[in-house]
Amino acid sequence: MTVPATPMLATSGPVLPSGTGWTYEFKWDGVRALVNVAAGTVRIHSRLGNEVTIAYPELAGLGAGIDDALVDGEIVAFVDNRPSFGQLQLRMHVRSAKQAAALVAEAPVSFIAFDLLRLYGVDLTARPLAERRATLERLAADFPQWTVSPSFDDGSATEEAARAHGLEGVVAKRQTSRYRFGQRTNDWVKVKFTQSDEFVVVGWEADAADGSATLSSLLLGYYDGDELRFAGKVGSGLSGRESAQLKRQLTTRPGPALTDGAPPPSPGRTATWVEPEVVVQVTYSHWADDGRLRHPVFVGIRNDKDAREVVRDG
């Protein structure tokens, strides 16, 4: 069984496209995954192409009775019937089978399927989305362990329902679209309701009194073409466990990788600069006129995102 390529991506838009030929799906606050099935055995690959099967043992049953399939979708953790990225954080960095098994009861996950790329050895990617979705729904009817993300033909009603249920947003997809591995295309358009984006960690700040021993806030950036620009700082929402995990993942460097220079550290703080490799999720109220985030709150680490893909959406 070969390792699949990275999934097709949606572009960000301010409003949903309308008219004939579009279908609409809820945007789930989870992590993208390709589920590869061969002779009933499941292997799961992240958006970056890394195998993450070991982290989600409860998804092994997806392959029961299926000889061959490749399914695109999202791994989601639900709390009170709503997606919770915070809960998913407990699972998405696990690389130990023993630890993953212990977390199944504490933080269970589900796989929400929304595209079928191969079935019984037949490549479906050149076929229109409408045909792929119909085949996926027939597969789910035959194998009820699969949950398919619902799709609708009324964008306004889909948006209203998503907002009413506190979901992250809506994705519009052109029904005639082919599936293009690794490409970001206007055939899929995502509209997010919450101010929540990914940012590249370019450094951290610590209390000067403790000699930079404890990471207290992150310095954030985003790419504008080949230039890496400063987006602000975030400390709210960072737990001690997450701070320690980030320090282990970050690689220090002698100066900032930022194109627009080093911002001064906050009073009483020291700054440590790092290689722009780690991506984090942050919520915020708005972008200020100075190009910095206002009221940012750390949500989690995104090991499933490549730093070079992080651009400013707002």
Side-chain angles (χ1 to χ4, degrees), residues 1 8 41 108 111 134 137 155 158 161 168 181 188 208 215 269 275 288 309:
M1 180 166 49
M8 181 171 166
T41 299
F111 180 73
E137 289 167 2
T158 306
E168 186 185 17
F181 283 105
W188 290 9
L215 185 158
R269 300 286 183 90
E275 298 293 344
E309 294 182 11

Side-chain angles (χ1 to χ4, degrees), residues 176-222:
T176 57
S177 60
R178 297 177 55 181
Y179 192 95
R180 304 178 188 278
F181 283 105
Q183 294 187 30
R184 190 180 298 278
T185 166
N186 290 327
D187 285 335
W188 290 9
V189 179
K190 61 183 179 181
V191 173
K192 294 190 290 187
F193 307 147
T194 59
Q195 295 280 71
S196 175
D197 283 305
E198 296 91 33
F199 294 92
V200 183
V201 180
V202 297
W204 82 72
E205 287 190 343
D207 190 328
D210 74 2
S212 302
T214 303
L215 185 158
S216 59
S217 62
L218 299 173
L219 306 174
L220 307 174
Y222 64 90

Side-chain angles (χ1 to χ4, degrees), residues 16-147:
L16 290 171
S18 59
T20 59
W22 290 94
T23 185
Y24 305 90
E25 302 174 18
F26 297 136
K27 190 175 188 304
W28 305 99
D29 195 7
V31 292
R32 193 75 174 275
L34 293 176
V35 174
N36 205 7
V37 182
T41 299
V42 166
R43 288 175 63 186
I44 305 170
H45 293 83
S46 74
R47 172 175 157 172
L48 297 180
N50 300 317
E51 184 166 357
V52 294
T53 311
I54 198 170
Y56 308 107
E58 67 265 54
L59 301 184
L62 291 175
I66 299 175
D67 290 334
D68 176 77
L70 179 60
V71 184
D72 188 3
E74 198 149 353
I75 297 172
V76 183
F78 288 92
V79 174
D80 296 330
N81 296 318
R82 291 186 178 181
S84 169
F85 187 76
Q87 185 82 339
L88 187 61
Q89 281 278 297
L90 298 174
R91 302 293 304 278
M92 59 188 291
H93 308 297
V94 173
R95 296 296 179 265
S96 158
K98 182 178 180 180
Q99 184 182 6
L103 286 169
V104 167
E106 179 184 348
V109 301
S110 302
F111 180 73
I112 310 296
F114 49 68
D115 213 328
L116 182 60
L117 314 182
R118 190 187 70 237
L119 185 64
Y120 302 134
V122 178
D123 182 355
L124 305 178
T125 57
R127 302 187 184 185
L129 172 66
E131 182 179 336
R132 299 197 308 271
R133 280 284 311 204
T135 307
L136 175 62
E137 289 167 2
R138 289 195 296 272
L139 178 72
D142 292 336
F143 299 95
Q145 67 265 30
W146 292 93
T147 299

